[in-house]
Amino acid sequence: SHVDTVLPPQNVSDKAAISALLNRVRAGGTTNLSGGWLKGCEHVQARQGEEMIHRVLLLTDGQANVGVTDANVLIRTARQKADAGIVTTTLGFGTNFNEDLLIGMARAAGGNFYFIQSPDDAADVFKIEVESLASVVAQNLSVTVEPATGSDARISDLLSNYRSETPAGKTVIALGDVYDNEDKLLALEVTLPAQSGTGDRALFRVTYDYDAVVDGAIQRIAGAPIEVSVPVGTAEEAMGAAPATDVIEQVARVRIAKAKDRAIEQADAGDHAGAGETLRRAIADLRQKGLHERFEIAEEMAQLEHFAERIENRRLDSASRKEMRDQSYQAHQRNRADLSLRGLGAGSARDLETTRTADNGVELECYREGGKLRMRVVSGGYDPALNVQFPRNIREEGIHYVADELQLSADGTFYRASGTIRRLVLPGQEHLYSGGSGARAARGAAAPSKVSARTAADLETTTSVGDGVLVQCVKEGSKLRARVVSDGYDPNFNMRFPRDIREENTLYVVDEVTEVAGGGSYITSGKIRRLVQ
C-alpha cells in the first residue's frame, strides 16, 4: 500500500549486504503499482547519463488497486516516461495480475513484457532481460515506409504490433531498442492492384534512423534507404516460383498472434463460439499452406486447438488467458525461440485411459524446458534428439505416456504422436488420479477435502494452478478465512477448508470448489496443494 525504497540506487560493491536487505522484504497490504513504478522511474532519472541504458523493471503479482488505478492513465504515463528516455519492462508473476495493463505499459514504453509462471521461469526470464540490456546496440529505431515514385501499392495492415503513425502518406513505425543477439521482425500486409506486363515493380522506399553512442555522445544516425520491389511474371512463372518458406513461417506466427488476440476479445465479450471459430480458421489456414509439417508451427496448431477447446467449454481461466496474451505479445514483438509458445498450465492427463506397460506402443515423457512443456521419446529405436508433436491439452510435467505409434514428419525433423494415447502408470504413481476414470470422479466429486498434513508446510507443493482452483488464506480480525481467488467464483463466500493447514497469505490449489446446496458458501473437494511462486 505504501512505497518504500529498500535500497537506494548505487553501484554494487557488497552483494551480501544487498541480499540481506532484499531477504527482509515481506508481502503486505495491497498493490500500489503506480507509486512503486513511478518511484523506480524517479531513481533511474536521477542517475541518467548519455552512455547508459535507462530501464525500470516493474515486477508485480497483483492488480493496481491503490494510487493511480486507471489503466489508460498508466499506459499514457509509460509513453511519457519513454519520451523522456526511461523505458519500462513489466513482469507479471502468478495468475492475479492484469496482463492487459502490463502489456499496454510495456508496449507504450518501448520495453518488454513477461509472464512468470514458476520460480525457474523467473530466473530464466530475468536472465533474458538482463542479457538484452547488455546487448543494446541502438535505441529508438524508427522505420519510415512510403510509396516509391509511381507506385500504386499501399500498406493494408501492420501485422507486427509496434506503435505507428501515418503523416503525409507515410507510415512511421517505432521499433524501440535493437539487441545484438535478436533480429527485429517487421511484417506488413501490402495491397497491389492487378499489373499489366512483366518485370520488376518498385513498391516502397524504406528509410530508418536510430540513436547510438558515437565518440562518447548519443547521435541520431540515418541508414541508407532501401528500395523494395517485386517481380511481376506470367502465371506459369508464378506457379514455378519457389515459395519463401522462412518468410511465410515468420508471417504465419504473427498472424497466429493476431488470431489469439482476436479470440480473447471475442471471449471477453461472451462470444465463445466465435472465438473458437477464429482459432480453428487459423488452424485450417496453416494446414492449407502445408505449415503443419514444420515443428514450431505444428506446436502452434496444438496450442490453438487447446485454447479453442477451453474457450468453447468456457474454461479459459486466468492462467490460460495470460499464456495466450504472452504468446501473442512475444510473437508480435520478439524474435527469440526461447520466448515463443511459453506455457506450463492447463494440461492434464487425468482423464486418459491408463496402462502399466509400454508393450506394443511408444513410451513418451513430458518435461519442462524453460517456460515450456516438451515431449521426448523414452522407447528405444527412435532418435531421442528429435522433438515430438503431441496434444497440448494432455501434457503434464513428469507424466509418461504410451502412444500407438510415432510418425516421422515429411522433412524428417520431428515425430508426431498418433493413434490412441494412454497414461503409463509407473511404480509409485498408482495413487495419481485414483478414484475413477473421469475428472469429477478423480477429484472426489463434492466430498469435502481431507488432508493428513498437520500444517501448510507439510502439504504437497505445486508451481502451477493448472485445472485447479486457487484459494488464499486471509486474516479477518482474529480469524483465518479461506477465500477463492480464481475467476468465476464469489470471493466473499465463506469456505469449508481444513483448519490445521490455514496459514495467513498462503496460496493453495484445490482440485475442485463446489457451492453448497443452500448457496452462499463453498466446499473444497479433492487434493489440496500449496502453491509455490
Side-chain angles (χ1 to χ4, degrees):
S1 306
H2 305 285
V3 177
D4 182 29
T5 299
V6 177
L7 180 74
Q10 58 190 263
N11 293 333
V12 175
S13 58
D14 188 342
K15 292 183 180 180
I18 293 174
S19 293
L21 281 172
L22 296 181
N23 284 332
R24 289 204 292 268
V25 174
R26 294 291 180 268
T30 49
T31 304
N32 190 345
L33 186 147
S34 63
W37 168 57
L38 291 172
K39 176 60 70 173
C41 293
E42 179 184 317
H43 285 314
V44 170
Q45 188 172 17
R47 293 173 62 88
Q48 275 186 299
E50 282 202 333
E51 294 189 45
M52 300 172 69
I53 303 298
H54 306 104
R55 185 165 302 190
V56 174
L57 306 188
L58 169 60
L59 292 72
T60 182
D61 66 348
Q63 305 280 333
N65 46 32
V66 176
V68 179
T69 59
D70 188 306
N72 292 326
V73 172
L74 289 168
I75 290 170
R76 284 197 301 270
T77 306
R79 173 71 181 271
Q80 292 168 359
K81 294 297 180 184
D83 291 341
I86 299 173
V87 172
T88 297
T89 280
T90 59
L91 300 90
F93 289 71
T95 58
N96 298 312
F97 66 89
N98 182 341
E99 61 270 26
D100 296 337
L101 168 62
L102 296 193
I103 288 173
M105 290 179 66
R107 195 172 280 155
N112 299 312
F113 162 78
Y114 304 95
F115 172 29
I116 311 297
Q117 303 177 75
S118 71
D120 290 342
D121 196 26
D124 292 340
V125 166
F126 209 83
K127 180 180 178 182
I128 289 171
E129 179 66 10
V130 173
E131 285 178 350
S132 297
L133 283 171
S135 65
V136 173
V137 293
Q139 294 183 283
N140 302 318
L141 172 63
S142 177
V143 174
T144 300
V145 183
E146 56 184 317
T149 303
S151 173
D152 48 8
R154 63 181 181 86
I155 297 173
S156 53
D157 194 9
L158 173 59
L159 300 178
S160 299
N161 210 347
Y162 299 114
R163 294 200 324 261
S164 65
E165 299 174 347
T166 54
K170 302 177 182 179
T171 300
V172 181
I173 306 155
L175 279 75
D177 291 347
V178 182
Y179 307 117
D180 180 57
N181 59 351
E182 187 176 334
D183 292 338
K184 283 283 186 181
L185 174 64
L186 175 58
L188 306 172
E189 187 177 84
V190 176
T191 298
L192 188 64
Q195 301 291 300
S196 59
T198 59
D200 284 348
R201 295 288 190 274
L203 299 183
F204 299 102
R205 185 175 187 267
V206 179
T207 56
Y208 64 98
D209 50 28
Y210 56 91
D211 293 330
V213 177
V214 180
D215 296 329
I218 295 178
Q219 295 185 20
R220 193 69 183 171
I221 300 173
I226 301 169
E227 304 296 332
V228 180
S229 62
V230 63
V232 177
T234 64
E236 291 75 16
E237 289 171 333
M239 290 293 292
T245 52
D246 287 344
V247 174
I248 292 172
E249 184 174 339
Q250 286 180 313
V251 173
R253 289 198 184 99
V254 179
R255 290 189 185 280
I256 291 168
K258 291 178 78 73
K260 289 174 182 173
D261 284 341
R262 174 59 181 154
I264 287 176
E265 290 176 3
Q266 292 171 294
D268 288 348
D271 185 8
H272 299 90
E277 179 61 25
T278 293
L279 298 179
R280 295 190 189 283
R281 281 199 305 270
I283 295 172
D285 183 62
L286 295 168
R287 190 175 299 280
Q288 190 271 333
K289 288 182 169 67
L291 292 172
H292 61 290
E293 292 297 339
R294 292 195 166 224
F295 176 70
E296 292 300 329
I297 298 298
E299 287 284 87
E300 283 277 17
M301 293 169 68
Q303 292 271 15
L304 291 171
E305 178 65 35
H306 167 67
F307 290 132
E309 288 181 0
R310 293 191 71 81
I311 290 173
E312 290 165 346
N313 293 322
R314 305 195 177 198
R315 295 177 60 207
L316 186 69
D317 57 15
S318 179
S320 297
R321 190 184 191 279
K322 285 171 171 58
E323 283 187 1
M324 286 184 73
R325 292 287 277 142
D326 179 74
Q327 291 175 10
S328 172
Y329 173 87
Q330 305 303 343
H332 275 309
Q333 305 284 134
R334 309 294 295 272
N335 193 22
R336 293 183 62 124
D338 52 3
L339 287 176
S340 68
L341 286 175
R342 297 167 64 251
L344 300 173
S348 175
R350 87 169 54 245
D351 291 336
L352 290 178
E353 177 187 343
T354 61
T355 179
R356 294 178 181 271
T357 175
D359 293 347
N360 301 318
V362 183
E363 183 180 349
L364 305 163
E365 179 188 10
C366 182
Y367 69 101
R368 182 185 299 193
E369 182 180 68
K372 307 174 189 179
L373 291 178
R374 294 288 203 186
M375 303 297 301
R376 59 183 162 216
V377 188
V378 176
S379 295
Y382 296 89
D383 186 345
L386 293 187
N387 287 311
V388 180
Q389 208 286 302
F390 192 85
R392 175 67 178 82
N393 63 321
I394 59 174
R395 294 187 196 184
E396 188 174 345
E397 184 181 2
I399 297 297
H400 287 237
Y401 306 79
V402 177
D404 283 349
E405 61 178 322
L406 291 185
Q407 296 178 339
L408 194 62
S409 63
D411 61 0
T413 59
F414 69 94
Y415 295 116
R416 182 178 283 113
S418 62
T420 300
I421 298 174
R422 293 160 290 168
R423 178 170 58 85
L424 179 62
V425 180
L426 298 175
Q429 291 187 351
E430 292 82 1
H431 66 288
L432 290 179
Y433 317 128
S434 59
S437 59
R440 176 166 284 276
R443 293 177 177 178
S449 298
K450 295 181 180 180
V451 296
S452 58
R454 290 174 293 180
T455 68
D458 298 321
L459 288 173
E460 177 186 335
T461 61
T462 179
T463 59
S464 172
V465 178
D467 280 339
V469 181
L470 189 63
V471 173
Q472 185 176 28
C473 192
V474 296
K475 195 162 189 177
E476 293 183 357
S478 60
K479 298 181 180 180
L480 288 176
R481 301 283 194 187
R483 292 287 183 264
V484 184
V485 177
S486 290
D487 295 336
Y489 297 87
D490 191 329
N492 297 313
F493 279 16
N494 288 316
M495 175 179 292
R496 290 178 59 183
F497 191 84
R499 190 169 301 277
D500 290 346
I501 62 172
R502 296 186 190 186
E503 184 176 297
E504 186 178 4
N505 293 326
T506 295
L507 292 169
Y508 308 82
V509 177
V510 302
D511 282 346
E512 191 170 4
V513 169
T514 55
E515 189 172 352
V516 299
S521 63
Y522 293 125
I523 299 174
T524 60
S525 56
K527 181 183 290 187
I528 299 176
R529 291 162 291 169
R530 180 165 52 86
L531 181 66
V532 178
Q533 294 181 306

